[in-house]
Amino acid sequence: MIRTGRAYRQSLSNRDILLDGTRVDDVTVDPLLGPLVDARARLYDLQHEDASRDILTVTRNGETCAITARLPVSQADWWAKRRAVDLGLDIRGAVHLPSPVEGMGEIWSLHDAAPMLADLAPEFAENVQTQIARALDQDMFMVAATPATTTPGPRVLRETDAGIVIGGECLAPAAAIANRIAIWGDTSFICDLDRPGLAFRCRLDQARSLIDETRLVFDDVLVPWENVLFHRDPDAARLMADSLPRYAGFGFLQRLLRVADLMIGTVLQSGRDMRDDLLGLALWREGIHAHLTAAVALGQKSPAGLMMPNQSLLHAGRALALSRLTGALPADMSDHSELLAFVQRLTDKDAPGIDMDHGALAAFLRSFDWDSPVAIAERIAQLDAPMERDLALV
């Protein structure tokens, strides 16, 4: 089923939110957080409007569902998701929020891993299927978490008959206005963001114009057993770590493409002669676009039979987009400090010199076809013996 913007707004009541130390009584009308709520609410409402319904929704088991939530089984599904996300990114402020594909990508990865998780942790197999079905059907705003580097991450404090009790914290962009979050580790679970004991600590950037980060704090938060995907299982955690990068990166890269368009448009509207800067931005933009398009055109079947973007092209596109950001940025962005701050926040760095993060690098190394170049080199060079190579890094 699909939600309305009103239902989404109502789901955000009674939250413990501090913005730079100041309490936010109603996130839906806060001067900074409110426009982000408006953007997501508008996306929900567009699903009901005649002009956009066919782009944003699909019928599943007799119910109207968000097309961005549907399991991708073909290239056509990915083209449809890309059209839907593009429409959503046209909403003012939406580019500041994770796209639906970024949140749902983790659920598709969970679907891929479900058969193997059932072997590793059969007692949680029903939970996994229930949480997948819930995510596909309920149209919740789901976000992803990253570990906090200076404090303990979410961890199990104790077990009860009702579930596990969680303490610690993580970084979770947009969590203050989202509905659910997936926490991955040796114990992995889905947490509803209206649970008692959750606190949202948001910080503004230096220009005090954008949300720089959100810390999600767990203070004795009870997670029901039905939301637990596996518990104290390092093998299951490693399996999910391998599966998680398969889909969510597509949504991130698509959002970065829209940022490139925003930057080009901003430079053009400045009226200054910045042809060299425009060339760098346009080349950067087209590099992102090419990798997104090729990743779908050369899509691959996942272990569970879904259509996933070509993994090598997807991760290479992300790496190139981030590593070439420095050269693409105009030399003088002094008139557009807010846009520059957003680009830096989106890439999770304090400065625009970007290196590929370890997780994405590992995903690329695993997905790249190392054997074909070696075979070509052996054939063309007419080598007598196979080349020895050390791919211990892969």
Side-chain angles (χ1 to χ4, degrees), residues 40-371:
R40 187 67 183 202
R42 180 58 184 148
L43 178 60
Y44 283 123
D45 285 336
L46 283 174
Q47 294 179 146
H48 297 267
E49 296 181 6
D50 291 342
S52 47
R53 182 186 299 116
D54 290 344
I55 297 175
L56 296 175
T57 66
V58 66
T59 300
R60 177 176 177 267
N61 298 329
E63 293 279 353
T64 302
C65 301
I67 203 164
T68 49
R70 181 171 63 176
L71 291 169
V73 297
S74 67
Q75 288 179 344
D77 285 338
W78 280 104
W79 299 131
K81 292 179 190 300
R82 188 166 174 183
R83 286 193 298 272
V85 171
D86 277 341
L87 179 60
L89 288 173
D90 283 340
I91 300 169
R92 183 177 179 84
V95 74
H96 296 280
L97 298 173
S99 75
V101 168
E102 291 175 69
M104 285 303 301
E106 295 195 341
I107 297 300
W108 303 333
S109 294
L110 181 63
H111 176 273
D112 272 347
M116 289 171 283
L117 288 175
D119 291 336
L120 291 170
E123 66 274 27
F124 294 103
E126 184 177 348
N127 290 5
V128 169
Q129 294 301 328
T130 297
Q131 295 305 320
I132 292 172
R134 185 181 178 194
L136 295 178
D137 293 339
Q138 293 187 355
D139 203 15
M140 296 291 181
F141 184 6
M142 188 164 183
V143 293
T146 57
T149 57
T150 58
T151 56
R155 63 197 185 280
V156 179
L157 301 178
R158 59 187 179 276
E159 300 175 15
T160 71
D161 290 341
I164 54 176
V165 178
I166 304 297
E169 62 184 67
C170 60
L171 299 179
I177 61 169
N179 300 118
R180 311 190 81 205
I181 191 168
I183 302 294
W184 304 104
D186 287 359
T187 294
S188 291
F189 55 91
I190 306 291
C191 185
D192 296 297
L193 291 173
D194 59 357
R195 301 294 299 179
L198 284 175
F200 307 85
R201 301 295 178 250
C202 307
R203 188 182 71 183
L204 292 172
D205 65 7
Q206 292 182 348
R208 300 191 61 78
S209 58
L210 293 167
I211 307 302
D212 188 49
E213 70 174 28
T214 298
R215 290 188 299 115
L216 178 61
V217 181
F218 294 78
D219 183 7
D220 271 19
V221 176
L222 176 65
V223 175
W225 282 116
E226 65 189 46
N227 283 35
V228 179
L229 305 173
F230 49 86
H231 184 40
R232 303 192 190 281
D233 193 332
D235 291 334
R238 283 190 289 270
L239 174 64
M240 282 308 304
D242 287 342
S243 181
L244 284 172
R246 288 180 186 151
Y247 304 100
F250 189 91
F252 172 83
L253 203 55
Q254 188 172 356
R255 193 152 55 107
L256 198 58
L257 178 66
R258 183 53 57 93
V259 172
D261 288 331
L262 279 172
M263 295 181 74
I264 292 171
T266 300
V267 171
L268 284 170
Q269 285 192 330
S270 71
R272 292 181 292 174
D273 185 0
M274 302 177 69
R275 280 171 288 186
D276 290 342
D277 291 324
L278 284 170
L279 176 60
L281 283 172
L283 289 171
W284 181 57
R285 190 263 183 209
E286 290 298 81
I288 298 171
H289 175 54
H291 279 86
L292 276 173
T293 302
V296 173
L298 298 176
Q300 302 165 297
K301 285 292 184 181
S302 76
L306 299 183
M307 177 63 69
M308 60 184 184
N310 183 283
Q311 295 295 282
S312 182
L313 289 170
L314 177 63
H315 298 305
R318 184 177 185 277
L320 290 170
L322 296 181
S323 64
R324 294 181 180 178
L325 178 56
T326 303
L329 287 174
D332 182 9
M333 288 288 288
S334 58
D335 294 340
H336 312 293
S337 57
E338 181 175 330
L339 182 57
L340 179 60
F342 170 61
V343 173
Q344 293 172 354
R345 180 174 63 84
L346 184 63
T347 52
D348 292 325
K349 298 289 181 180
D350 295 327
I354 304 298
D355 292 321
M356 196 175 183
D357 67 80
H358 177 74
L361 175 60
F364 172 72
L365 290 173
R366 287 195 303 269
S367 61
F368 183 75
D369 178 8
W370 298 96
D371 292 329

